[in-house]
Amino acid sequence: MTDRPDRINYIVKILWPPHCRNRNQKVLEERADIVKEMNGMRSKLENFLKASCSGSYKVSNEYDMQGFNIGLEMGPDVYNLVLEQATIGYEVSREIGRYNIFSDKYIKHKILYTAKGIVID
Amino acid sequence: MRKYEYITVLGYNTIQLPFSKLKQYGPIISVSSHKEEMQHLDYVWTRQEKDLLWYLQQKPSPVDCVTTPELYKKYVFYDEVHSFPPISPQFNLTLDINTDDQTLALLSAIGLCDKRVLLVGYDISDLRILKDLRSVIMLHPDMKFYFLCNPPKTKQLDYCSNAECILFKDMEKLKND
């Protein structure tokens, strides 16, 4: 992951609902209900970010078979996004990207849920 | 992030030069012992959790901290906490738990800068620190290192072609370099 857009320090992937994942284009063309659900989830996330983020954020327009990326400026917003997944009804991928000032790249880290909070591996 | 052309590494020694003046020579990265002048620091290298938290709690703006991978893992969601740049094993430079904070601050500075490093208040009385400093200088021949001190000039870096000892009273000339 490279080419940091302005002020985006973290990249988090939001996973589609389980039954929407790994669907190829042909299936999606035939199943408008699934596409509607995916778009609805994206809108829901966008509304949640609008209401809860104190820093800037960007929802990617690119979809893949697992989910879509969200770029966030501030760490507490990322923490909140990870914490609220059960409440709002989405699933965050276990891998997050954090911008590294030395390498000018997003470094991937695995999220760990511990008794003391959310850390990385 | 675009790399800085110039950066200042602040070591353990106290200096008489006001930090505000030192800022004219580029951003400052310091070891964690200069808390009283924190408002002039751009980056701090620290391996102590209590120091990290102290710098993060400063108002109005916390100081960016470069720290160990262990602390970084814990504080990854703090925007001002950065991990130490990955460093491959290099000839004549051994990095381990005993590596001095000044050396690690210097390596962090090199990760942020691509042209000129000023070493200010840099304590080279310890032989290992001096050896590490020489190794770092020699491993970066494309960069220029200026060691600032009071008279007399040190001769310890004389055989490093890309290093020069400058007296504080002559440092104005660095502005024209």
Side-chain angles (χ1 to χ4, degrees), chain B residues 23-72:
Chain B
K23 279 281 280 183
Q24 296 169 8
Y25 296 85
I28 301 174
I29 181 165
S30 166
V31 291
S32 60
S33 56
H34 296 282
K35 287 181 177 166
E36 66 285 354
E37 298 282 0
M38 56 78 51
Q39 71 272 22
H40 298 295
L41 305 180
D42 297 277
Y43 300 92
V44 167
W45 157 262
T46 179
R47 66 175 95 208
Q48 299 298 331
E49 190 166 7
K50 65 177 174 51
D51 288 339
L52 181 77
L53 289 172
W54 190 90
Y55 282 105
L56 290 176
Q57 285 164 2
Q58 296 312 302
K59 303 272 168 65
S61 53
V63 181
D64 279 64
C65 295
V66 185
T67 189
T68 59
E70 290 71 31
L71 280 179
Y72 176 73

Side-chain angles (χ1 to χ4, degrees), chain A residues 2-118:
Chain A
T2 53
D3 299 326
R4 180 198 194 198
D6 278 347
R7 297 196 298 166
I8 296 297
N9 290 318
Y10 302 84
I11 293 177
V12 180
K13 178 172 265 187
I14 305 295
L15 301 175
W16 301 123
H19 59 282
C20 300
R21 290 177 208 160
N22 299 317
R23 302 284 190 164
N24 64 31
Q25 196 174 349
K26 190 166 180 296
V27 172
L28 291 176
E29 279 166 7
E30 290 165 359
R31 294 285 306 271
D33 57 321
I34 288 182
V35 175
K36 191 178 172 191
E37 198 173 339
M38 290 162 83
N39 285 331
M41 187 187 168
R42 193 178 177 280
S43 303
K44 187 166 79 172
L45 247 298
E46 226 165 349
N47 290 336
F48 171 68
L49 293 169
K50 194 174 177 182
S52 68
C53 282
S54 44
S56 62
Y57 63 89
K58 189 175 189 312
V59 181
S60 170
N61 290 323
E62 290 174 18
Y63 291 12
D64 70 20
M65 290 171 91
Q66 293 299 312
F68 59 98
N69 285 338
I70 294 176
L72 297 115
E73 179 190 5
M74 297 175 72
D77 291 339
V78 181
Y79 202 88
N80 193 35
L81 182 71
V82 175
L83 271 187
E84 295 294 337
Q85 50 185 328
T87 318
I88 312 293
Y90 55 85
E91 189 181 342
V92 172
S93 165
R94 282 290 178 103
E95 208 167 62
I96 66 161
R98 165 85 201 265
Y99 179 72
N100 184 284
I101 56 170
F102 300 102
S103 61
D104 199 23
K105 286 179 182 165
Y106 291 93
I107 308 289
K108 287 181 179 176
H109 304 286
K110 273 232 165 76
I111 299 176
L112 287 180
Y113 299 96
T114 72
K116 289 184 176 175
I118 303 161

